[in-house]
Amino acid sequence: QKVLRRYEAGSCYRWGIALREEDSLIGVIELLRFDEQEESCSFAYMLAEAFWGQGYGTESLKAILSHAFANCGASMVQADHFAENPASGAVMQKAGMIKTEGIPQKYTKNNPPFWKDFYTHSCRQNCPCASQLQSGLHTDVMHLHSSHWYESIS
């Protein structure tokens, strides 16, 4: 219910990641933490392990970066990843994001709370990474489906 309320309020956009030929859900990706004053937002994604390392995360991220700049009023998108998960950072860099800082021992709100090393990546609307983004949420390999996610939470 919390996610549905955030979606309806426009403070979170979540899509299912689906392979085009099968239309089967292989992950989710979302835009969140919108800051109207800073014109910024963040994202999170998760892929089924069987689909790691095949470019789906990068392709999905490029699509939502394009969407954030074209449709959500964002001029900057940034996100963190655990230092112990360099593959996530590689996805961000392949999508054109720039590693902007390392934040040692950042506190998380998980239960129980803990301290972790994070790295931050960002992309600005006027950066070269943004000019290379495709438009739309459909590609040759996969597409992002709002209906998959919405049906699973309603």
Side-chain angles (χ1 to χ4, degrees):
Q1 294 299 331
K2 177 181 171 184
V3 172
L4 185 56
R5 283 193 306 274
R6 287 174 43 206
Y7 182 82
E8 289 171 344
S11 62
C12 175
Y13 298 93
R14 191 175 277 190
W15 295 270
I17 303 169
L19 295 179
R20 181 174 292 286
E21 67 275 5
E22 299 170 18
D23 202 29
S24 58
L25 196 63
I26 64 168
V28 294
I29 191 163
E30 65 183 320
L31 289 171
L32 65 159
R33 293 191 208 113
F34 286 88
D35 185 328
E36 289 182 24
Q37 194 169 19
E38 296 288 326
E39 296 180 340
S40 67
C41 64
S42 187
F43 64 87
Y45 68 94
M46 183 177 5
L47 284 173
E49 189 172 355
F51 299 95
W52 292 359
Q54 299 176 50
Y56 300 121
T58 302
E59 195 170 333
S60 301
L61 179 53
K62 285 180 177 181
I64 68 154
L65 288 172
S66 176
H67 185 78
F69 295 138
N71 302 304
C72 299
S75 61
M76 182 178 74
V77 179
Q78 68 180 37
D80 301 327
H81 73 87
F82 289 135
E84 65 196 39
N85 184 5
S88 192
V91 166
M92 294 179 207
Q93 289 178 324
K94 288 176 190 174
M97 299 184 77
I98 299 165
K99 186 175 178 181
T100 54
E101 61 184 277
I103 306 171
Q105 300 298 311
K106 185 174 180 181
Y107 177 74
T108 68
K109 294 181 180 179
N110 292 349
N111 189 12
F114 58 92
W115 295 87
K116 287 276 192 170
D117 288 347
F118 278 73
Y119 292 105
T120 301
H121 289 72
S122 66
C123 183
R124 294 190 175 274
Q125 189 171 21
N126 58 356
C127 284
C129 68
S131 66
Q132 298 171 12
L133 297 172
Q134 65 193 21
S135 61
L137 298 175
H138 296 269
T139 68
D140 290 340
V141 179
M142 42 114 320
H143 56 256
L144 302 180
H145 253 309
S146 59
S147 60
H148 278 302
W149 176 252
Y150 189 80
E151 289 167 8
S152 71
I153 62 172
S154 54

